C-alpha cells in the first residue's frame, strides 16, 4: 500500500515540477485504492485507456448520504470544472494531465480549459499592450483521444468581438479566429463562449461563417446568464434572457443543434424567467444541453452542513435536464481559490440533483413502446400515410394491429351498436355489417367477438343475432391475407370484396349484396380527416339505410401552437440522396423520367417551401406547447345530406410569453359510437394507445411572439377531383395592435396533396 | 429420447397435413438433439426467435471430412435452396414453415420461394388459358421478421417481359408489377430474376422505374447464366455474359448496388469467360453478391464418394466470393426430386469451398491497419488534402506519424546524404539542414537520429559533424507543437520558422540564416505532385547552393485504367446535406453568403460534373485493373533551371477484354535519395507503408471498351497565379479504327483546383 503523498513525491522527484500533490486529495479520503495515471506514461503509451479524470471512487464516501452518488452516476452524469485564474496555473499549460488528474480526484469528468493556455486565457487587455500572449497549449502532451474526451475549450474570456472599444473588438475578431482554428487543430469536440452583450452581431457573424464553411466536428456552447443584469444592454431593452439567446441563434441562421447549442450560466441571482414554470418550459424547445453553475450559487445545507443548490436553482436544473448527454460545469470564484473539499461537494451536489431525472422521463408509458420497438420515433419526422394512393405493407399492418387500446374500444363500440340494434322493438335476427378498409382484418375479428359477446349476454340459442359480414379492402396484397383469414380464422363466414369502398354501392347492386346495418372503418390520420376518411365514407353513403350506424360517428381535429427549434431544423434537413431523388414527394406532381434514364422529383416551388408546406407526423419531445389545443374541423357520419367536405377555420390563441412560434401540433378526438371515444388530444388522450403520434403543421420560418399578442391559424380544407389539401397561414396581432399575416402555405396543394386515387 | 419418426408422426396427427416427415431427415442422422420448430407455435408466439431453418447440427457429422463444416460455418455462409416444381408442393403455400423446416434439416439458411406461391410460380402459360393463378402466399402464416430473414422471393419463372410472343410479354409486365408489389407488401429483402434474353429492355424498363420511384427496401438479384448458350440471342450477337449483365444494369441507370446486384447461375457447362482469370476478374468490379448452382453441376468426388463441384466451378466461386454477405443457392432438377442426402451434400460442399475465402482476404498486411483504425477506408472516397490551402489537424498529423516505413526510409535517405556530404574531401564539420513543411516534426526527429547514426559510425568526438537545423512550417497551430518539441525533445537546437517555405529565401536574408546543404520535405500526394510539391520546392530554390541535396530528388506519377461500378456510384452519391451545403467544394469558386445568412456552395457546372471532374483518394477493393500502370509526370529537385511545372502527357493502353472503363487509378514512385525510394505503384510498392492510398481519376460515364482497342488518357497539369489543376479526357480507337474522344474534364479547374495559397 502506498500513500498518495509518497506517490506524489516520487512523481515530483521524477522531474514533474513542483506541484503540491498533497492538496489534490481531500484530507479525509483513504486513497489506498487510488489509481493515478502517470503523466509520462500517458504521453507514450499508445494502448492506454487514458482515464485522465479517473479519481478515487472511494472519495464519494466522505460525503453525506444526501450527496452520495454511485460510481455509475459519476460516469453517467458528466460534470466539468471551469479552469479559472484563481486555480489554474501557467505551468499546467504544458502539464494539463496533472491538473486534470487533480480534478479527477474531485470527481470531475472533464475540464473547461483556456484553449490558448492559462497565460493567454487570463490575460487582461489594456491600452498599453494590445498584443495577447500566443497560444501555448501543446497537443503532444496528451494523446488525441484524451483531449477529445476530457477537455472542453474555453474561449479566452477577454475576447469581446462586440466591445464598445473598437480596438478590442477588432483584436478579438482576429484572436477568436485563431482560437477556433486551434480548437479544430486539437480535435476538441466542444468550445464554450459566454454571451456578454444582449446583442452580439459581430460574434454571431464569425460563428455563423465558421459553422457553415468549416468541416470541423466542433460543437459551440453559448452560455447565457440567468440574470439579464449580467448582460451589457440598452436601458430600453426589455428582452429577457431567452430572447437574447433566440436572437443570437437566429443571427447564426438557427444553425444545426449538432453544432450550436445553448447553455445556462447559473449565478447566485436568477431572474423570474428561470423560476416560472411556463417561462422555463420554452427552453425545452431549445437545444439546451449545457449548464454552468457558479460556486457562489451554492449554499450550505442546514442538515448535512454540506453544499447544495437553493431550491430555485435546483428546480431549474431538474426541469431542464433533458438527458445524460447534457454537460454541467462548476465555475469557481475569480479571485480566490477554493478548497478541494468544496470542489468535490459541488460536483456531487449537482449529480445528486439530476441523477434521477432521466430515469423519470423514460418511465412514461408511451416511452415503453418507443423503446421496445427498436426504432427511434422521438422527434423524428414521418410523412403521413396516404393509404388511398399507396398500399400499406404487412409490417405496417402488423404494427398497428398491436395497439392494446384501439381495437378494444372498437369492439366495445360495435358491441354497443349491436345492442342498440338487436334490442330494438323488432328484435331482428340478422345484422349486415360492412368493414370498410379492412386491411388484414383486425376489425373483422373485433366485430365477430362483439357478436359473440352480445349473443352470450342477450340472446339464447334459438334467437341468436346472426351477422352477415362484408369485408371491403382495396389493397390487392392484403386481400391474400383476408382470404386466408376467412378460411382459417373466420370460418368462411365473410364475403371478401376487393374494391375501393367508393365503388361498393355499384358492386353491391351488381351482386345483390344487402344494405348494411352497421359500417365500421378506421380511416383517421393524426389530424383526423387527413387520410380522407370523409371522402371515402361519403362514397358508400348511397348504399346505406337511414338507420345505418357508422362507426365512427364523428371526429374533430385540434391544433395547439408550439415552439420547437428541433422540429424546424428537422424539416429543413429533409432532402433526398442521389438514389432517392426519384421517390415521389407529396405534392401534386410526381417524379419525372430524365433523359439519362433516372427519375427525379422536381420542386418548382423550391425545396425549402416544399418541405415547410407539408403536414408531418412526429412523436414530439423537444418542444413547448404555447397554449391548449382548440378544435378545428368536425365531420359527422353518415353524411346523408352529402354536405361538402371543404372546410375553413380560424383558430385564435392569445400568447402568454415571449416565444418563437414554430407551427402547430395537430390532434383528433373521435366518437366511435355514442360515448365510446378514441382521442390523441392531450386532455382526453386514450391512455395506452400507440397508433397515432401528433400531426405537425409547420410555419416556413420561426415567428417571434410576445405576451398578450394574438395569433390565429387560418386553415382551409380544399377538395378537387383528384385530391384534398390544406392551405394555411397565420394572422398575428402585435402589441401595438398592428396586423401581420404570413404567406399562404401549400397553395393549390403544390407541396402536400392527399390523392383520392 | 424421441425418434424423429415418432415426432413427425405426432405432428401429423396434430392436424398438420399429410406430409411424409420421414423423408425430411437423412436416414443416417441421429436426430435425438433435433430442435424442430413447431409451426403452429411459430404463428402465434410473438417472442419466438423463429429459427425456421434451424436443423440438426449433428447432421454434418454424416459427411466426410472434406465437406465437414462447423456450426459457425453454417451460420456464416448463407446457402439457400431454390424451390422448384419437382420438390415444392402447392400445400406449402399455406405451410411454408413446414417446407423451410425440412430445408433447415438439410443445412439450408434460406429458401428462394415463388412469391406468388407454388401454384402460380410453376404455372405454364399457354394459348388457351392466359390467366395465371392469383398470388396466394399468405403473410400471417409467419411473423414478419421470419419472412424477412428466411425467404427470398422467386419471381415466377414464366414471367418473360421480353418474350417474342407479345401476348405473353404484355401479360408478364402486368404480372411482374403485381409480384414486385407483393414482395414489398411482405417486407421481403430480396427478389431473384433470371435473365432469359441477351437483351431485356422491357424488363429493365420496369425494374428501373421501380428502383427509382418505390421507397421499398428490396434488393433485386439479377441472375446471369455462366453459358451464353442459355440466353435467347441473335446469332450475330458476340457479347459475352459479362457484357449482357453490364448492358442490363446500364438500362437500369447503373442503379445503386444496394438495390440492384448481379448473380451468377452456374450450370454444368461454363463458358471460357468464367475460366480465364483475367476475364473473371471483371466481376470484382461488379456488385456480384449471389450465386446459384444447379445440382446437375455437381460431380461425385472419387475419394469420398460425395458430391463436389468440378475444379473450374469451384475456382470461379473462390475467385468471386468477396464476403460472407454474399448468398449462394442450390437449384434442383426441374423434372425429378432429389434425395435429402443430395440436398445436404450440395449445401455443405458449397460451404467447404468458400469457407476459407474471407479469412484469406482479410489477412493481407494492409487490411490489418485498415481494421485496427476503426474507420472504414475500403472503397471510401476521400478528397485529397490541400495542405497549402487548409491546415491539417493534430489527429491527421498523428495518424501519418504512425507510418512504420516512411520515416525509416527518410532517415536512411538523410543518413546516406549526410554520409556523401560528410565523407567528401573537405570533411566539413557543419551541415545546414532545412526541414520544409515540418508539420509536428517527425522529419526533424528522423534527421537528428540520422546525424547521431552518422557520427557514431564515421566520426569521433572531436570531429563530429554538427547539424544546424532550420524547421519551416506554415501552419500556425503546428508551430505550437514544434516549439514544445524543440524545448522538450530536441534540446532547443532547432530554429523554428513560422512561414510558407516560398517566403523563406527573403526571411533567411533578413535574419542571416545560412544556405542549406540538405533540404528535406514530404509534400507528395497520392498522385505525386498533386499537393503542389513542385511549386513549394521551387519557392526555396533561390536560397540553395549548387551542391544542395534535395530529399526527395525525384518523383513520377503513374496511371492504370480501371473498372469499378462501385466507385462510379460512390462519386455520383456525393452530395451535401442541408447543414453541409456551405462547405467549400474543390473548384475555383468557394461558398457564397446567401440572403438568409446561410452559406452555399454553388455548382454552375452542375453537381454531376462537379463530382466527376475531381481527383479522389481511395483504398480500392471492388475494382479490376485493366492494364499495368504507366508513368505520367516526372519532377526532379532542385529545379535550378526553373523549368516549368506545367506538363502534358498521353498514356496509351491496349485493352485485352470487354470491359467498362470507369477511370484511372493514380500512383507515385519517388526517389528520396539515390536508390532509397518510396512507392505506391503496385510493382514497386513499399511494403507496409500506410500513408497513401491510390488516387482515382474518374471519367464522367462508364465507357465500354473491347479487346485490341486502344485507350489513351490525355492529361495536362496547368498552373496559373493562384493554383494548379489537371484537365483530362480519353481518346479511344475502336475495333474499326475509328477515333472517339470524351469531353475535357475539369476545364479551367472549375471542379478541382489545388490552391497555391
Amino acid at each position: 500500500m502506498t500513500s498518495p503523498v509518497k506517490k506524489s513525491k516520487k512523481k515530483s522527484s521524477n522531474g514533474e515540477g513542483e506541484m503540491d500533490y498533497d492538496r489534490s486529495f481531500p484530507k479525509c479520503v483513504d486513497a489506498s485504492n487510488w489509481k493515478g495515471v502517470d503523466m509520462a506514461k500517458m504521453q507514450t503509451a499508445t494502448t492506454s485507456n487514458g482515464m485522465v479524470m479517473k479519481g478515487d471512487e472511494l472519495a464519494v464516501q466522505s460525503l453525506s448520504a444526501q450527496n452520495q452518488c454511485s460510481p455509475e452516476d459519476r460516469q453517467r452524469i458528466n460534470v466539468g470544472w471551469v479552469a479559472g485564474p484563481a486555480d489554474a496555473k501557467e505551468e499546467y499549460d504544458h502539464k494539463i494531465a496533472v491538473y486534470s488528474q487533480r480534478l479527477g480526484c474531485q470527481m470531475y469528468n472533464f475540464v473547461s480549459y483556456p484553449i490558448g493556455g492559462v497565460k493567454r486565457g487570463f490575460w487582461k487587455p489594456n491600452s498599453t499592450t494590445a498584443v495577447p500572449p500566443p497560444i501555448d497549449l501543446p497537443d503532444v502532451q496528451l494523446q488525441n483521444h484524451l483531449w477529445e474526451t476530457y477537455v472542453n475549450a474555453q474561449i479566452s474570456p477577454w475576447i469581446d468581438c462586440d466591445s464598445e472599444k473598437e480596438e478590442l473588438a477588432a483584436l478579438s475578431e482576429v484572436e477568436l479566429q485563431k482560437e477556433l482554428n486551434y480548437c479544430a487543430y486539437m480535435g476538441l469536440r466542444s468550445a464554450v463562449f459566454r454571451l456578454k452583450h444582449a446583442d452580439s452581431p459581430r460574434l454571431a457573424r464569425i460563428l455563423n461563417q465558421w459553422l457553415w464553411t468549416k468541416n470541423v466536428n466542433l460543437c459551440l456552447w453559448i452560455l447565457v446568464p440567468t440574470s439579464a443584469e449580467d448582460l451589457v444592454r440598452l436601458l430600453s431593452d426589455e428582452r429577457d434572457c431567452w430572447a437574447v439567446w433566440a436572437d443570437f441563434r437566429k443571427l447564426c441562421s438557427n444553425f444545426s443543434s449538432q453544432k450550436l447549442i445553448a447553455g445556462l450560466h447559473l449565478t447566485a441571482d436568477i431572474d423570474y424567467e428561470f423560476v416560472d414554470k411556463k417561462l422555463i418550459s420554452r427552453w425545452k424547445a431549445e437545444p439546451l444541453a449545457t449548464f454552468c453553475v457558479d460556486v457562489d450559487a451554492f449554499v450550505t445545507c442546514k442538515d448535512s452542513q454540506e453544499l447544495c443548490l437553493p431550491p430555485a436553482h435546483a428546480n431549474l436544473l431538474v426541469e431542464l435536464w433533458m438527458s445524460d448527454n447534457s454537460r454541467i460545469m462548476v465555475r469557481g470564484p475569480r479571485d480566490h481559490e477554493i478548497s478541494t473539499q468544496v470542489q468535490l461537494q459541488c460536483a456531487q451536489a449537482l449529480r445528486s440533483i439530476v441523477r434521477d431525472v432521466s430515469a423519470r422521463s423514460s418511465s412514461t408509458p408511451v416511452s415503453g413502446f418507443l423503446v421496445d420497438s427498436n426504432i427511434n420515433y422521438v422527434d423524428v419526422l414521418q410523412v403521413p400515410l396516404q393509404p388511398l394512393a399507396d398500399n400499406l405493407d404487412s409490417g405496417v399492418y402488423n404494427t398497428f394491429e398491436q395497439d392494446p387500446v384501439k381495437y378494444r374500444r372498437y369492439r366495445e363500440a360495435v358491441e354497443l351498436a349491436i345492442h342498440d340494434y338487436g334490442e330494438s322493438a323488432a328484435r331482428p335476427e340478422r345484422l349486415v355489417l360492412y368493414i370498410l378498409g379492412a386491411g388484414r382484418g383486425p376489425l373483422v375479428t373485433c366485430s365477430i367477438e362483439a357478436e359473440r359477446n352480445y349473443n352470450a349476454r342477450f340472446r339464447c340459442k334459438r334467437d341468436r343475432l346472426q351477422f352477415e359480414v362484408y369485408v371491403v379492402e382495396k389493397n390487392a396484397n392484403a386481400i391474400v391475407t383476408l382470404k386466408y383469414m376467412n378460411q382459417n380464422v373466420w370460418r368462411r363466414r365473410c364475403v371478401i370484396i376487393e374494391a375501393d369502398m367508393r365503388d361498393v354501392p355499384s358492386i353491391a347492386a351488381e351482386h345483390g349484396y344487402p344494405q348494411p346495418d352497421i359500417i365500421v372503418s378506421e380511416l383517421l390520420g393524426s389530424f383526423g380527416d387527413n387520410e380522407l376518411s370523409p371522402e371515402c365514407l361519403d362514397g358508400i353513403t348511397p348504399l346505406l339505410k337511414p338507420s345505418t350506424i357508422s362507426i365512427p360517428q364523428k371526429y374533430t381535429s385540434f391544433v395547439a401552437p408550439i415552439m420547437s427549434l428541433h422540429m424546424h431544423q428537422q424539416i429543413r434537413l429533409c432532402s433526398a440522396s442521389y438514389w432517392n431523388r426519384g421517390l415521389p414527394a407529396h405534392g401534386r406532381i410526381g417524379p419525372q423520367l430524365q433523359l439519362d434514364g433516372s427519375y427525379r422529383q422536381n420542386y418548382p416551388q423550391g425545396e425549402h417551401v416544399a418541405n415547410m408546406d407539408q403536414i408531418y407526423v412526429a412523436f414530439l419531445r423537444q418542444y413547448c406547447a404555447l397554449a391548449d389545443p382548440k378544435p378545428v374541423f368536425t365531420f359527422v357520419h353518415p353524411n346523408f345530406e352529402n354536405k361538402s367536405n371543404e372546410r375553413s377555420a380560424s383558430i385564435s390563441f392569445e400568447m402568454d410569453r415571449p416565444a418563437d412560434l414554430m407551427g402547430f401540433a395537430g390532434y383528433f378526438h373521435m366518437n366511435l359510437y355514442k360515448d365510446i371515444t378514441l382521442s390523441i388530444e392531450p386532455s382526453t388522450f386514450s391512455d395506452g394507445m400507440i397508433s397515432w403520434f401528433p400531426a405537425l403543421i409547420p410555419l416556413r420560418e420561426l415567428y417571434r411572439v410576445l405576451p398578450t399578442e394574438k395569433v390565429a391559424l387560418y386553415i382551409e380544407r380544399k377538395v378537387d377531383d383528384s385530391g384534398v389539401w390544406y392551405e394555411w397561414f397565420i394572422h398575428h396581432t402585435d402589441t401595438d395592435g398592428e396586423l401581420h399575416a404570413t404567406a399562404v402555405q401549400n397553395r393549390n396543394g403544390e407541396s402536400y396533396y392527399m390523392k383520392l386515387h
Side-chain angles (χ1 to χ4, degrees), chain A:
Chain A
M1 216 190 279
T2 317
S3 87
V5 179
K6 275 190 189 156
K7 257 202 169 168
S8 49
K9 277 198 179 149
K10 250 192 227 157
K11 278 195 173 178
S12 288
S13 66
N14 277 347
E16 299 249 346
E18 298 308 301
M19 294 290 308
D20 179 3
Y21 276 79
D22 285 2
R23 295 191 54 217
S24 69
F25 291 90
K27 296 296 178 198
C28 52
V29 173
D30 169 11
S32 54
N33 285 347
W34 187 72
K35 306 179 195 75
V37 178
D38 185 66
M39 183 194 155
K41 249 189 208 159
M42 284 188 37
Q43 288 183 32
T44 51
T46 52
T47 55
S48 147
N49 265 331
M51 298 301 290
V52 199
M53 291 300 191
K54 195 166 177 66
D56 184 5
E57 306 299 358
L58 293 179
V60 79
Q61 293 181 359
S62 73
L63 295 168
S64 71
Q66 172 202 314
N67 278 1
Q68 266 191 26
C69 292
S70 67
E72 291 71 34
D73 289 335
R74 198 201 149 183
Q75 291 302 314
R76 184 166 63 88
I77 299 160
N78 282 276
V79 181
W81 176 259
V82 180
D87 72 304
K89 299 179 176 50
E90 281 180 32
E91 62 208 59
Y92 295 153
D93 293 349
H94 285 210
K95 286 178 183 166
I96 194 170
V98 172
Y99 182 61
S100 303
Q101 216 169 66
R102 292 184 54 182
L103 293 168
C105 296
Q106 266 49 264
M107 302 288 145
Y108 286 88
N109 305 79
F110 69 97
V111 60
S112 179
Y113 200 86
I115 183 60
V118 162
K119 191 170 180 186
R120 174 184 172 91
F122 303 126
W123 175 68
K124 298 267 177 245
N126 58 47
S127 53
T128 54
T129 160
V131 183
I135 290 171
D136 185 18
L137 184 65
D139 58 339
V140 284
Q141 61 180 311
L142 277 190
Q143 290 177 55
N144 295 89
H145 71 277
L146 299 180
W147 283 110
E148 189 180 322
T149 310
Y150 295 112
V151 183
N152 159 269
Q154 197 183 121
I155 298 299
S156 290
W158 52 264
I159 283 183
D160 184 1
C161 301
D162 296 281
S163 169
E164 287 168 18
K165 297 176 198 149
E166 176 53 34
E167 208 174 40
L168 176 60
L171 174 72
S172 293
E173 289 193 339
V174 173
E175 298 298 324
L176 173 60
Q177 301 265 17
K178 283 189 194 166
E179 296 197 359
L180 283 167
N181 287 339
Y182 201 69
C183 292
Y185 173 72
M186 298 288 273
L188 299 184
R189 289 290 168 260
S190 59
V192 65
F193 299 73
R194 196 172 302 278
L195 279 195
K196 297 174 194 291
H197 304 267
D199 289 297
S200 311
R202 292 173 72 166
L203 174 63
R205 191 178 48 74
I206 291 172
L207 298 189
N208 184 55
Q209 183 174 18
W210 169 270
L211 288 164
W212 279 102
T213 61
K214 295 284 180 175
N215 195 5
V216 172
N217 190 6
L218 177 69
C219 183
L220 309 183
W221 297 356
I222 309 296
L223 282 190
V224 181
T226 49
S227 169
E229 295 291 313
D230 292 342
L231 293 165
V232 179
R233 57 177 182 161
L234 296 177
L235 279 174
S236 61
D237 191 343
E238 290 183 348
R239 285 173 301 166
D240 61 5
C241 294
W242 170 81
V244 167
W245 153 252
D247 288 342
F248 186 80
R249 66 157 158 69
K250 191 177 175 189
L251 285 176
C252 296
S253 330
N254 290 321
F255 200 85
S256 168
S257 46
Q258 300 295 313
K259 294 277 186 80
L260 180 70
I261 67 167
L264 288 184
H265 183 185
L266 281 69
T267 46
D269 294 324
I270 61 178
D271 287 352
Y272 181 70
E273 68 171 297
F274 295 104
V275 178
D276 178 76
K277 224 167 173 160
K278 236 177 198 169
L279 295 171
I280 289 175
S281 67
R282 295 174 300 173
W283 290 96
K284 295 184 181 174
E286 299 289 348
L288 175 67
T290 190
F291 300 87
C292 177
V293 185
D294 273 358
V295 168
D296 298 347
F298 287 84
V299 293
T300 305
C301 177
K302 271 188 191 160
D303 300 338
S304 65
Q305 291 300 312
E306 285 190 357
L307 292 175
C308 64
L309 279 186
H313 292 69
N315 177 59
L316 181 62
L317 267 181
V318 168
E319 279 291 313
L320 297 179
W321 188 261
M322 296 300 280
S323 95
D324 291 342
N325 292 326
S326 296
R327 295 288 180 268
I328 195 163
M329 297 182 288
V330 179
R331 191 173 84 140
R334 304 286 88 188
D335 49 358
H336 65 277
E337 199 167 356
I338 54 164
S339 74
T340 53
Q341 186 70 358
V342 169
Q343 273 189 313
L344 174 68
Q345 286 189 19
C346 288
Q348 297 296 66
L350 293 176
R351 283 197 185 90
S352 72
I353 289 168
V354 299
R355 69 180 162 195
D356 301 325
V357 177
S358 40
R360 179 196 66 185
S361 75
S362 65
S363 68
T364 58
V366 181
S367 305
F369 160 71
L370 292 173
V371 171
D372 290 346
S373 60
N374 262 334
I375 302 170
N376 178 29
Y377 291 108
V378 176
D379 287 331
V380 171
L381 290 174
Q382 300 178 357
V383 171
L385 296 171
Q386 289 225 12
L388 275 178
D390 305 319
N391 285 327
L392 305 188
D393 69 44
S394 174
V396 171
Y397 284 124
N398 187 55
T399 302
F400 286 133
E401 289 166 12
Q402 307 305 313
D403 196 303
V405 174
K406 186 170 82 167
Y407 294 108
R408 181 158 48 80
R409 294 278 176 95
Y410 261 101
R411 199 197 60 226
E412 289 164 4
V414 174
E415 217 170 307
L416 188 58
I418 299 172
H419 177 266
D420 288 355
Y421 173 84
E423 299 302 298
S424 65
R427 260 189 99 76
E429 299 199 328
R430 181 169 165 273
L431 188 157
V432 177
L433 180 92
Y434 277 65
I435 307 288
L436 303 170
R440 306 199 307 179
L443 288 179
V444 181
T445 303
C446 278
S447 300
I448 291 173
E449 279 172 29
E451 175 199 30
R452 192 176 51 225
N453 292 347
Y454 168 75
N455 278 319
R457 290 182 58 199
F458 298 100
R459 300 278 180 121
C460 57
K461 217 161 191 179
R462 57 184 174 74
D463 73 339
R464 285 175 62 85
L465 180 64
Q466 285 284 352
F467 268 33
E468 287 177 35
V469 186
Y470 293 84
V471 177
V472 178
E473 175 54 50
K474 69 151 191 62
N475 178 348
N477 305 311
I479 289 290
V480 178
T481 310
L482 289 169
K483 285 182 176 164
Y484 178 85
M485 292 293 287
N486 195 29
Q487 195 171 7
N488 294 278
V489 180
W490 305 323
R491 291 173 294 128
R492 302 173 205 246
R493 54 178 301 190
C494 304
V495 176
I496 312 278
I497 306 173
E498 179 181 346
D500 188 306
M501 66 184 80
R502 291 165 292 181
D503 300 327
V504 167
S506 62
I507 292 169
E510 195 183 319
H511 288 77
Y513 296 148
Q515 287 179 293
D517 299 304
I518 300 178
I519 57 173
V520 188
S521 65
E522 45 166 335
L523 305 170
L524 259 51
S526 294
F527 194 51
D529 57 271
N530 68 306
E531 292 183 12
L532 309 190
S533 174
E535 284 72 18
C536 293
L537 292 179
D538 281 2
I540 194 111
T541 310
L543 184 64
L544 307 188
K545 301 191 271 194
S547 61
T548 300
I549 295 168
S550 170
I551 295 176
Q553 287 185 303
K554 180 180 157 186
Y555 38 86
T556 300
S557 50
F558 285 77
V559 290
I562 62 162
M563 231 180 117
S564 173
L565 179 67
H566 183 74
M567 296 318 298
H568 179 76
Q569 290 182 341
Q570 288 293 98
I571 300 175
R572 284 208 164 235
L573 204 49
C574 293
S575 86
S577 68
Y578 182 76
W579 302 114
N580 288 335
R581 59 177 58 174
L583 296 180
H586 313 104
R588 277 180 186 268
I589 305 162
Q592 307 294 318
L593 180 61
Q594 309 291 299
L595 282 176
D596 67 358
S598 69
Y599 283 76
R600 187 154 190 175
Q601 174 68 53
N602 290 311
Y603 302 96
Q605 71 272 50
E607 208 173 352
H608 173 64
V609 167
N611 289 338
M612 287 294 169
D613 288 11
Q614 296 188 34
I615 295 193
Y616 296 90
V617 167
F619 179 87
L620 298 168
R621 183 174 287 171
Q622 290 181 55
Y623 85 113
C624 168
L626 296 173
D628 288 332
K630 293 185 175 176
V632 188
F633 303 137
T634 295
F635 294 86
V636 177
H637 297 287
N639 175 16
F640 287 120
E641 294 156 53
N642 203 20
K643 282 184 198 156
S644 164
N645 292 320
E646 294 205 313
R647 295 281 189 283
S648 72
S650 161
I651 303 103
S652 186
F653 298 92
E654 186 173 316
M655 297 293 106
D656 60 1
R657 63 202 118 168
D660 274 355
L661 184 62
M662 179 268 161
F664 297 82
Y667 312 99
F668 72 82
H669 176 280
M670 151 164 78
N671 290 75
L672 289 175
Y673 184 63
K674 294 187 171 168
D675 288 340
I676 299 173
T677 62
L678 286 179
S679 170
I680 63 165
E681 193 278 306
S683 68
T684 56
F685 188 83
S686 305
D687 282 339
M689 189 165 66
I690 56 172
S691 293
W692 291 276
F693 295 150
L696 183 63
I697 306 168
L699 296 177
R700 286 192 189 157
E701 302 296 336
L702 299 184
Y703 196 96
R704 178 67 51 85
V705 292
L706 294 173
T708 76
E709 291 183 347
K710 281 194 181 53
V711 167
L713 172 68
Y714 278 77
I715 183 164
E716 276 194 80
R717 187 180 197 271
K718 295 190 163 185
V719 183
D720 65 12
D721 286 348
S722 50
V724 179
W725 70 101
Y726 304 106
E727 295 182 6
W728 67 93
F729 64 97
I730 57 167
H731 264 180
H732 166 225
T733 314
D734 69 18
T735 36
D736 301 329
E738 234 175 295
L739 191 74
H740 310 269
T742 58
V744 176
Q745 289 182 248
N746 193 35
R747 202 188 277 278
N748 202 27
E750 64 179 359
S751 299
Y752 182 72
Y753 187 74
M754 298 163 282
K755 298 190 181 74
L756 276 164
H757 302 283

